[in-house]
Amino acid sequence: MADNNKFDEQTVTELVDNIVKSYRECEYISKIDSARQPDKDVIEGIINSVKKLLFPGYFETKRLKSEFIRYYVGELIEEIKYNLERQMIYAYSFTNGEDMKKAEKLAKEKTECFLVKIPGIREYLNTDVYATYEGDPAAYSYDEIIYSYPGIYAIMIYRVAHELYNLSVPLIPRIMTEYAHSRTGIDIHPGATIGKYFCIDHGTGIVIGETTIIGEHVKIYQGVTLGGLSTSGGQKLKGVRRHPTIEDNVTIYAGASILGGNTVIGANSVVGGNAFITKSVDRDTRITVEAQKLKIRSKGNK
Amino acid sequence: MADNNKFDEQTVTELVDNIVKSYRECEYISKIDSARQPDKDVIEGIINSVKKLLFPGYFETKRLKSEFIRYYVGELIEEIKYNLERQMIYAYSFTNGEDMKKAEKLAKEKTECFLVKIPGIREYLNTDVYATYEGDPAAYSYDEIIYSYPGIYAIMIYRVAHELYNLSVPLIPRIMTEYAHSRTGIDIHPGATIGKYFCIDHGTGIVIGETTIIGEHVKIYQGVTLGGLSTSGGQKLKGVRRHPTIEDNVTIYAGASILGGNTVIGANSVVGGNAFITKSVDRDTRITVEAQKLKIRSKGNK
Amino acid sequence: MADNNKFDEQTVTELVDNIVKSYRECEYISKIDSARQPDKDVIEGIINSVKKLLFPGYFETKRLKSEFIRYYVGELIEEIKYNLERQMIYAYSFTNGEDMKKAEKLAKEKTECFLVKIPGIREYLNTDVYATYEGDPAAYSYDEIIYSYPGIYAIMIYRVAHELYNLSVPLIPRIMTEYAHSRTGIDIHPGATIGKYFCIDHGTGIVIGETTIIGEHVKIYQGVTLGGLSTSGGQKLKGVRRHPTIEDNVTIYAGASILGGNTVIGANSVVGGNAFITKSVDRDTRITVEAQKLKIRSKGNK
Amino acid sequence: MADNNKFDEQTVTELVDNIVKSYRECEYISKIDSARQPDKDVIEGIINSVKKLLFPGYFETKRLKSEFIRYYVGELIEEIKYNLERQMIYAYSFTNGEDMKKAEKLAKEKTECFLVKIPGIREYLNTDVYATYEGDPAAYSYDEIIYSYPGIYAIMIYRVAHELYNLSVPLIPRIMTEYAHSRTGIDIHPGATIGKYFCIDHGTGIVIGETTIIGEHVKIYQGVTLGGLSTSGGQKLKGVRRHPTIEDNVTIYAGASILGGNTVIGANSVVGGNAFITKSVDRDTRITVEAQKLKIRSKGNK
Amino acid sequence: MADNNKFDEQTVTELVDNIVKSYRECEYISKIDSARQPDKDVIEGIINSVKKLLFPGYFETKRLKSEFIRYYVGELIEEIKYNLERQMIYAYSFTNGEDMKKAEKLAKEKTECFLVKIPGIREYLNTDVYATYEGDPAAYSYDEIIYSYPGIYAIMIYRVAHELYNLSVPLIPRIMTEYAHSRTGIDIHPGATIGKYFCIDHGTGIVIGETTIIGEHVKIYQGVTLGGLSTSGGQKLKGVRRHPTIEDNVTIYAGASILGGNTVIGANSVVGGNAFITKSVDRDTRITVEAQKLKIRSKGNK
Amino acid sequence: MADNNKFDEQTVTELVDNIVKSYRECEYISKIDSARQPDKDVIEGIINSVKKLLFPGYFETKRLKSEFIRYYVGELIEEIKYNLERQMIYAYSFTNGEDMKKAEKLAKEKTECFLVKIPGIREYLNTDVYATYEGDPAAYSYDEIIYSYPGIYAIMIYRVAHELYNLSVPLIPRIMTEYAHSRTGIDIHPGATIGKYFCIDHGTGIVIGETTIIGEHVKIYQGVTLGGLSTSGGQKLKGVRRHPTIEDNVTIYAGASILGGNTVIGANSVVGGNAFITKSVDRDTRITVEAQKLKIRSKGNK
């Protein structure tokens, strides 16, 4: 490079060459001349449309009137169908490498299967909102929960993504739950199974692994991990049950970790804050960490 | 459904019927024919406008000139007043069910009360920024803190929402702090009371409950919980003092939990990382968790 | 104020006066008549453009074709160069107070130095994606990781910001990593040094301090802190080594804290969940917290 | 003003004072503290929505499917109803000075009356498109006409605005036709009465006055004026018939002017280019301007 | 309809029914279940991109640098190719009814043919700008012409659309020239043939028909029509030569009409304002309208 | 080119080469490596801001309140000053080739001179709106005129551009009036001099040349040209008086042309439609074209 005008046409050419070369060499992170890829922004748009369908009247800029409600619903269905089908086509062809015809057929089928699940998802969410309100003295109304609670937002997206996961749709369910994760700090894998009346308080730092099973009336707090014991097995563990089972009416306080595919927390149990559990616990049990030994000194001796 | 053209007009009609039916049945999550609702996007816009008023010259795309500064301020006030008043009207009528006249009167009064608090909020934020800079060797300038520290962002929104909470404005304060929560992972309830020179480092996972009282010159780190002992009482506990008191000059390190409405951390104390405290602590105390027993093995025996 | 029309012209004038007065008085949080400031939105736009350059074909709305790939690359370089140079000028003149000529010269030099690093950044990211896939049984494809894993997103931004930090660019690197922090809950200071094949799982609540050094093939989980022992020294500690060293092939499980500038975790070691470590650990060591004493009671006696 | 820093705070204050003073003094062009005004952008949005309803499938970014067509129609009606009703409220209260209650009642009634006219408007437009296609050898398809012919665009907006004019809606009809005028150069007053199979070719410069009456199967070209004889009477002429009558099957070529409220062009007549007509013409007449005397010289003698 | 709540669910249903019925009945203006249609907004976007390619450095928000110029050009080509090809597919399948495979093949071929014409179009435009500057004493610079002269804007779009017309692309050329018509009041059919050094002054109201042929160094003013004699033949005249020939170095002043497929204006002629010409004129002729008989009266006798 | 994959990398390279080559060769229409250029969109934004300042309360989405009016005005001034000054810098340096320092100084001076003219412009516009209302029986209110009359819109932009023209600002005045031309079909050169109470009816096709002088209380209709006799002199005529003088109280009906720098229409005169005038007319004169000889035939003999 010349001194004075360092970044001349020659330099630009070399830089472009080097980057294009890197596109050939670093194989895991380049997609040139591949099929069209899914679009995260559109998938986030789908989440927003589904949210409007699931919580009618909360996320509009005008009030919903009953005489127009059917058209409102029909249009949202059409929009979700159009976008979801299209993103699935890209997911099937881009990631799974299906040929276009197959991808289109699959996308159509799966989208239609998903759409008919919407009333069912609403039934679950209705219980989740109820449980969240009943369990939180800081909640002033159902509205406050629907508008502002990250727990409900993350559960809503999880319940949507879970239906797509059950339909074996690639890529999209995870993009959805990671979007929730990004917005709430709550990381629920779409593969987890979660019963009605599920309640998350505060939520930041919660991790719920792919093969977790959670019953009804379960409440968990921020920083709770329902995870695997060790993932050093990596890809070899795919499909193996790695995460715990939480039975009905269990409460898990902040920072507790419950790990392992054979670990079951029995119904009606309470797990105290910061507990670290890798073995099963009987039903109707209260588990707390024995009081920490705290060292208490006057502040002279920092 | 027919095989070939599964998603025909008939199917769509049935799906629409089912969803509309679910709107009647799942009562906690539908608002049809109700009054107009608040708009989260507008509330986020209000936060942005207030931010510009509180930190003049930091979030503009051009420099502020002193000869125009009055007009800049006046226009922002007008804009905030217009939008906040409107959102309050929706909040009072939508959630609280006030009649329109009452909602308009309340919204006007409360907005005006809020606006005159702005210089006071600035006074507090000025000390918060100072404390954050002084306490953090990784901070290179006040600017860096204002631009990029999530702690200051969350405190700013909290201080704004707290004034609205004190005015008993429904819904909006919580929407504001949950917006901060979503962006920073820091969950400060608008009801908490927090003194000057407040400093948050890193911040992700912090929870500060509704009835918490925090003095001046307090510093807290990521993952700290200032919470309730148990919320199994649910809605019955509303209004009861449930969260701790932190006196002046206290530092609380990462992951510590301080719980309970009778728990007081005395002035000048230091709470070590991961401490779990449910009883009061005298002033000038240093509390650390006694060293964990770590099991140390060679890695052969995983 | 009059009763009936409380918020009249007089009131507005007084409020404007008070706020403008506060702009003079609260010195840490006002920038009037200063040079033009950096623009966070533009910096986020730069991150998006760099992301497209680093992961070609993943974040487009149409497929990339090899016959146009050079032009795609060249245009992105031009755009990044233009915006980054401009933001650097503002950062140098606004925050560092450099005169315009100097600021322009520095901005040009540093931007050009940064751009030639891009192929090198891609080389590192390629290994990070590989390591993430291999280590996670829940990962279905490289694509899923690039699209949705917050760990990869945070590492990508860190690797970009780190190059700017090494060039001593003010403000911008930290704005970038705090943007990642906001989106992922993962807080990596741009000053940290991190080797190839770095893998973050879940990630929320991770803190990696400014003077941390991390080797190759390291994996860390949510809630891990690689931090300082105490920051009560504040600004006096600037530049001092305050954070630990993690050697090659170390795994650190969720919630572990490793603190202090002299603390070294030797190669091939495994640090168990929630471990709190302030002293060095030999290589090939497995460290776990000794089993908590859990108090287990029947739930009658809450 | 000082020399060096001419535009200081003092200067700005004086300029603001002068402009505010002018707001009090120039009475025809200031609306301070008046009711909220109509919004031209929203009215243009209404035109776009109505256009979609009138020409289904032409102005979408995706194809319309019959199984969703009802929902598409219903949603557009809801949207048009909402926006039109609101704009009418502003028009009635802002311009006509109606009290709010009356304005709301009128707006609701008139909007509903308008909506039921839509199938009728379509019936007319269907004939206009047919006539335009049949009469123009340069037209390759109906689609080309609907997409790109300014004549059809102007007629469509006229037919919509005319219904609102007939309902005595203030301001809005004229804003609509002037929007068409701005986009096409075709100025049809919403008060004009125009029959089926109306065809405009090219169109720029056409003026059709408020009290014009046009029959069926009429075709007019660019630059045609159907105007008043003299408007020196100004406001005193309001309501008086001032513009001509054009009977069925008349063709009027480019640049012709037909003026006056008593002027009738009888059925099946043809008016030649540039004719200037202020008296009635019998049916089945062909009118051309007698050949101009052209002066023809060799170009030496400019 | 009931009196009180006129617009209830029943009324909405009926209105929707009537409109949907009208979609079946008015056949020329409905496209339900047809193939996807072209998108006018995208076509306008293509015009903007082509404009940038044709006039580099005039319509950017930053200056073009020579070291990046190739990438700028390449990216614009890619973008134009992508969008134009896609719109052509819709045009071929939607309007012409081609099957998808054929439409894709045609679209690809025609787009590529078009792109290689761009340097040639620039060659013509260069002469048009030169002629416009030389001929207009009100022009202060070439820049002023490129930025603001409607004549150049309309000629530019015509020259682009003409290449597409020559390639027999359906719909799109006309949408383009009608866009120019809408913005400038200048209506040049894409089928016209126009030589170099073409200059339009003011331009509003100009009409240039499909089969017009214009030589080099021709200048025309506002309101000039180069049209057909009569279009009462309608579709039967398609393909027939209907518009005049204008030879080199002719100037046509404002408001002149030259009509008919056999009418030739010989080289170097000048046609005076408002002349109405339907027969050929020899070369080197100056044609003016013989002085009008003006009636001049004192203003008493209106 | 190969047959199968015609548009390969090689083809793209050649096409890019040809276009870049054309950038060097076609000299009038390329600006590579020149200074930054003015931005038409920003200039249109300036027009919108000025429009709001000139017609307060008409183009807002909320009502203006008197207690905030000063701030509203101050902010608009700041915004206009910022943008206009910047665009002038580009205009002086880009087109006129001034060095940066000079360009900045000029831009600052001229912008400030312009701003103090605003109350004066309002004074003129107030009379224009009054005259338009009084003269038009189709006008229902002042509001209708301000909202929708193209004449007022064009006059407003002309009056603004004229002040800039008088300050010898390059490029920008013409961009402004051509923007008005594009939206209204009314082409008023910013150099023209026009008195108070100016009224334009319909307007499409009006041309008012650079050196035109118009008195007070003048009214003109669509298609009127106030032009030059011949522009074959081109650039040699720059600065010469080429357009007519129209004295007070003159009315000019549709389609009339008045040409030539020595042509004066005396006060109180009326010029009839389509009159073509190249010589002066005394005051108090009524000029009409003597009745055309119309050929009237029965329609059998087309």
Side-chain angles (χ1 to χ4, degrees), chain E residues 73-90:
Chain E
V73 168
E75 268 292 272
L76 277 173
I77 291 172
E78 195 280 337
E79 187 192 317
I80 295 164
K81 182 173 189 304
Y82 178 84
N83 285 315
L84 187 53
E85 201 170 316
R86 203 146 299 246
Q87 294 306 311
M88 281 196 199
I89 290 171
Y90 303 144

Side-chain angles (χ1 to χ4, degrees), chain A residues 1 6-7 13 15-20 22-23 25-40 94-95 165 171 174-175 178 181-182 185 187 189 204-205 207 210 225 229-232 234-235 237-238 242 257 268-270 274-277 284-290 302, chain C residues 52-66 69-70 73-74 77 81 112-113 115-116 118-119 122-123 125-126 129-130 133-144 146-150 182-183 202 204 219 221-222 232 253 274 292-299 301-302:
Chain A
M1 295 181 199
K6 209 175 149 188
F7 220 73
T13 305
L15 178 52
V16 169
D17 285 345
N18 287 336
I19 291 177
V20 171
S22 139
Y23 286 179
E25 290 172 357
C26 299
E27 57 192 319
Y28 307 122
I29 56 173
S30 308
K31 285 268 175 185
I32 316 293
D33 286 328
S34 75
R36 182 167 164 184
Q37 62 277 53
D39 183 330
K40 280 185 74 170
F94 179 60
T95 296
Y165 178 94
L171 262 181
R174 190 67 186 269
I175 289 177
E178 285 297 342
H181 186 189
S182 166
D187 179 358
H189 196 285
T204 310
V207 172
E210 185 177 14
T225 296
L229 267 168
S230 156
T231 59
S232 63
Q235 286 288 327
L237 296 173
K238 192 184 291 304
R242 306 182 304 278
S257 294
N268 310 317
S269 294
V270 174
N274 294 335
F276 189 90
I277 294 175
D284 298 304
T285 309
R286 168 176 302 275
I287 294 172
T288 50
V289 178
E290 231 171 64
K302 286 193 194 188
Chain C
K52 289 177 166 194
L53 207 50
L54 293 171
F55 298 114
Y58 282 95
F59 300 98
E60 302 303 314
T61 55
K62 50 190 171 186
R63 64 201 198 84
L64 290 187
K65 297 186 169 183
S66 50
I69 197 70
R70 288 181 60 78
V73 169
I77 290 172
K81 183 173 190 304
E112 291 167 7
C113 285
L115 287 169
V116 298
I118 284 173
R122 265 183 58 80
E123 217 180 302
L125 286 172
N126 199 39
V129 168
Y130 177 80
Y133 177 73
E134 287 303 313
D136 184 1
Y140 284 78
S141 64
Y142 294 117
D143 293 350
E144 197 178 59
I146 292 171
Y147 275 123
S148 66
Y149 273 44
S182 165
R183 301 262 311 239
H202 305 300
T204 309
K219 179 172 187 179
Y221 285 80
Q222 71 270 24
S232 64
Y253 281 103
N274 295 335
Q292 289 174 314
K293 301 275 168 42
L294 297 175
K295 284 202 282 196
I296 298 177
R297 291 169 297 172
S298 81
K299 264 191 64 185
N301 36 348
K302 287 195 197 189

Side-chain angles (χ1 to χ4, degrees), chain C residues 52-265:
Chain C
K52 289 177 166 194
L53 207 50
L54 293 171
F55 298 114
Y58 282 95
F59 300 98
E60 302 303 314
T61 55
K62 50 190 171 186
R63 64 201 198 84
L64 290 187
K65 297 186 169 183
S66 50
E67 66 265 34
F68 284 109
I69 197 70
R70 288 181 60 78
Y71 307 104
Y72 174 83
V73 169
E75 268 293 271
L76 276 174
I77 290 172
E78 195 279 337
E79 186 191 318
I80 295 165
K81 183 173 190 304
Y82 177 83
N83 285 316
L84 186 53
E85 202 171 315
R86 203 147 297 247
Q87 294 304 311
M88 281 196 200
I89 289 171
Y90 303 144
Y92 277 113
S93 57
F94 179 60
T95 296
N96 284 20
E98 301 289 2
D99 74 71
M100 212 52 189
K101 207 132 217 173
K102 181 87 180 294
E104 281 173 3
K105 190 171 170 299
L106 279 166
K108 189 171 183 308
E109 275 171 29
K110 306 274 174 154
T111 300
E112 291 167 7
C113 285
F114 167 74
L115 287 169
V116 298
K117 304 278 188 190
I118 284 173
I121 296 174
R122 265 183 58 80
E123 217 180 302
Y124 272 69
L125 286 172
N126 199 39
T127 69
D128 300 330
V129 168
Y130 177 80
T132 301
Y133 177 73
E134 287 303 313
D136 184 1
Y140 284 78
S141 64
Y142 294 117
D143 293 350
E144 197 178 59
I145 289 164
I146 292 171
Y147 275 123
S148 66
Y149 273 44
I152 280 300
Y153 188 75
I155 294 170
M156 182 267 283
I157 291 181
Y158 153 75
R159 295 214 181 278
V160 167
H162 182 60
E163 295 297 343
L164 296 171
Y165 178 94
N166 284 346
L167 292 164
S168 305
V169 174
L171 265 180
I172 296 172
R174 190 66 187 271
I175 290 176
M176 287 181 165
T177 55
E178 285 297 344
Y179 179 66
H181 186 189
S182 165
R183 301 262 311 239
T184 63
I186 299 168
D187 180 357
I188 311 178
H189 195 285
T193 304
I194 302 179
K196 288 182 173 178
Y197 296 96
F198 185 51
C199 169
I200 287 177
D201 205 357
H202 305 300
T204 309
I206 285 174
V207 172
I208 299 177
E210 184 178 14
T211 62
T212 307
I213 295 172
I214 295 177
E216 302 198 340
H217 290 284
V218 170
K219 179 172 187 179
I220 66 176
Y221 285 80
Q222 71 270 24
V224 165
T225 296
L226 307 179
L229 266 168
S230 154
T231 60
S232 64
Q235 285 290 326
K236 278 166 288 179
L237 295 174
K238 193 184 288 307
V240 178
R241 184 82 204 280
R242 306 182 302 281
H243 307 101
T245 300
I246 313 297
E247 295 186 353
D248 293 353
N249 299 307
V250 169
T251 297
I252 308 174
Y253 281 103
S257 294
I258 302 171
L259 308 178
N262 297 318
T263 307
V264 177
I265 305 298

Side-chain angles (χ1 to χ4, degrees), chain A residues 23 54 126 136 166 221 223-224 228 239 243 251-252 280 296 299:
Chain A
Y23 286 179
L54 293 171
N126 198 40
D136 184 1
N166 284 347
Y221 285 80
V224 165
H243 306 102
T251 297
I252 307 174
S280 291
I296 298 179
K299 264 193 59 186

Side-chain angles (χ1 to χ4, degrees), chain B residues 147-164:
Chain B
Y147 275 123
S148 65
Y149 274 44
I152 280 301
Y153 188 76
I155 294 169
M156 182 267 284
I157 291 180
Y158 152 75
R159 295 214 182 278
V160 167
H162 182 60
E163 296 297 343
L164 297 172

Side-chain angles (χ1 to χ4, degrees), chain B residues 52-67 69-70 72-74 77 81 108-109 112-113 115-116 118-119 122-123 125-126 129-130 133-144 146-150 182-184 201-204 219 221-222 232 253-254 273-274 292-299 301-302, chain C residues 1 5-7 12-13 15-20 22-40 94-95 165 171 174-175 178 181-183 185 187 189 204-205 207 210 225 229-235 237-239 242 249 255 257 268-270 274-277 284-291 302:
Chain B
K52 288 177 167 194
L53 206 51
L54 294 171
F55 298 115
Y58 282 94
F59 299 99
E60 302 304 314
T61 55
K62 51 189 171 187
R63 66 201 198 84
L64 291 187
K65 296 187 170 183
S66 49
E67 66 266 33
I69 196 71
R70 287 183 61 78
Y72 174 82
V73 168
I77 289 171
K81 182 172 190 306
K108 189 172 183 309
E109 273 172 30
E112 290 167 9
C113 286
L115 286 169
V116 299
I118 284 173
R122 264 184 59 80
E123 218 179 303
L125 285 173
N126 199 39
V129 167
Y130 176 82
Y133 178 73
E134 286 304 313
D136 184 0
Y140 284 79
S141 64
Y142 294 117
D143 294 351
E144 197 178 59
I146 293 170
Y147 275 123
S148 65
Y149 274 44
S182 166
R183 301 261 312 237
T184 64
D201 207 356
H202 306 300
T204 309
K219 179 173 189 180
Y221 285 79
Q222 70 271 22
S232 62
Y253 281 102
N274 295 336
Q292 288 173 314
K293 301 273 169 43
L294 297 174
K295 283 203 281 196
I296 298 178
R297 289 170 299 171
S298 80
K299 264 191 62 184
N301 38 347
K302 287 195 195 189
Chain C
M1 296 183 199
N5 186 13
K6 209 175 148 189
F7 220 73
V12 174
T13 305
L15 177 52
V16 169
D17 285 345
N18 287 338
I19 292 177
V20 170
S22 139
Y23 286 179
R24 279 193 304 274
E25 290 172 357
C26 299
E27 57 191 319
Y28 307 123
I29 56 173
S30 307
K31 285 268 174 184
I32 315 293
D33 286 328
S34 76
R36 181 165 165 186
Q37 62 277 52
D39 183 329
K40 280 185 73 171
F94 179 60
T95 296
Y165 178 94
L171 265 180
R174 190 66 187 271
I175 290 176
E178 285 297 344
H181 186 189
S182 165
R183 301 262 311 239
D187 180 357
H189 195 285
T204 309
V207 172
E210 184 178 14
T225 296
L229 266 168
S230 154
T231 60
S232 64
Q235 285 290 326
L237 295 174
K238 193 184 288 307
R242 306 182 302 281
N249 299 307
S257 294
N268 310 317
S269 295
V270 174
N274 295 335
F276 190 90
I277 294 175
D284 298 306
T285 309
R286 167 177 300 275
I287 295 173
T288 49
V289 178
E290 233 170 61
K302 287 195 197 189

Side-chain angles (χ1 to χ4, degrees), chain E residues 53 56-57 64 66 70 122 133 136-137 139-140 147-148 183 202 204 221 292-293 295 297 299 302, chain F residues 17 22-23 30-31 33 37 40 174 178 181-182 187 210 231 235 238 268 274 276 286 288 290:
Chain E
L53 206 51
L64 289 188
S66 50
R70 288 181 60 77
R122 264 182 61 78
Y133 178 74
D136 184 2
Y140 284 78
Y147 275 123
S148 65
R183 301 260 314 238
H202 307 299
T204 309
Y221 286 79
Q292 289 174 312
K293 299 275 168 42
K295 283 202 282 196
R297 290 169 298 171
K299 265 191 62 185
K302 290 194 196 189
Chain F
D17 285 344
S22 137
Y23 286 179
S30 308
K31 284 269 175 182
D33 288 326
Q37 63 277 54
K40 280 184 75 169
R174 190 67 187 271
E178 285 297 342
H181 186 189
S182 166
D187 179 358
E210 184 177 15
T231 59
Q235 286 289 327
K238 192 184 289 305
N268 310 316
N274 295 335
F276 189 90
R286 168 175 302 274
T288 48
E290 229 168 67

Side-chain angles (χ1 to χ4, degrees), chain D residues 19-234:
Chain D
I19 291 176
V20 171
K21 186 158 149 268
S22 136
Y23 286 179
R24 278 193 305 275
E25 291 173 354
C26 299
E27 57 192 319
Y28 307 122
I29 58 174
S30 308
K31 285 268 176 183
I32 315 293
D33 286 326
S34 76
R36 181 167 165 183
Q37 62 278 55
D39 184 329
K40 281 184 72 170
D41 290 340
V42 176
I43 293 171
E44 291 173 19
I46 292 167
I47 291 172
N48 272 313
S49 299
V50 173
K51 186 178 67 172
K52 288 176 165 196
L53 207 51
L54 293 171
F55 298 114
Y58 282 94
F59 299 98
E60 303 303 314
T61 56
K62 50 190 173 188
R63 66 200 199 85
L64 290 186
K65 296 183 170 185
S66 50
E67 65 265 34
F68 284 108
I69 197 69
R70 287 182 61 78
Y71 308 104
Y72 174 83
V73 168
E75 267 292 272
L76 276 173
I77 290 172
E78 194 279 337
E79 187 192 318
I80 294 165
K81 182 174 191 304
Y82 177 84
N83 285 315
L84 186 54
E85 201 171 317
R86 202 146 301 245
Q87 293 305 311
M88 280 196 199
I89 290 171
Y90 303 143
Y92 278 113
S93 56
F94 180 59
T95 296
N96 284 20
E98 301 289 2
D99 74 72
M100 211 53 189
K101 208 130 216 172
K102 182 87 178 295
E104 281 172 3
K105 188 170 172 301
L106 281 166
K108 189 170 183 310
E109 275 171 29
K110 307 276 173 149
T111 300
E112 290 166 7
C113 287
F114 168 73
L115 287 169
V116 299
K117 306 277 189 189
I118 285 173
I121 297 175
R122 265 182 60 78
E123 217 179 302
Y124 272 69
L125 286 172
N126 198 41
T127 69
D128 299 330
V129 168
Y130 177 81
T132 302
Y133 178 74
E134 287 304 313
D136 184 2
Y140 285 78
S141 63
Y142 295 117
D143 293 351
E144 197 177 61
I145 288 164
I146 293 172
Y147 274 123
S148 65
Y149 273 44
I152 280 300
Y153 188 77
I155 294 169
M156 181 265 286
I157 291 181
Y158 152 76
R159 296 217 181 274
V160 168
H162 182 59
E163 297 296 343
L164 297 171
Y165 178 94
N166 283 347
L167 293 163
S168 304
V169 175
L171 263 180
I172 296 173
R174 191 67 187 270
I175 290 178
M176 286 181 166
T177 55
E178 284 298 343
Y179 179 65
H181 186 189
S182 166
R183 301 261 312 238
T184 64
I186 299 168
D187 179 359
I188 310 178
H189 195 285
T193 303
I194 303 180
K196 288 182 173 179
Y197 297 94
F198 186 50
C199 169
I200 288 177
D201 205 356
H202 306 298
T204 309
I206 285 174
V207 172
I208 299 177
E210 184 177 14
T211 62
T212 307
I213 295 172
I214 295 178
E216 301 198 342
H217 291 285
V218 170
K219 179 174 190 179
I220 66 176
Y221 286 78
Q222 71 269 23
V224 165
T225 296
L226 307 178
L229 265 167
S230 154
T231 60
S232 63

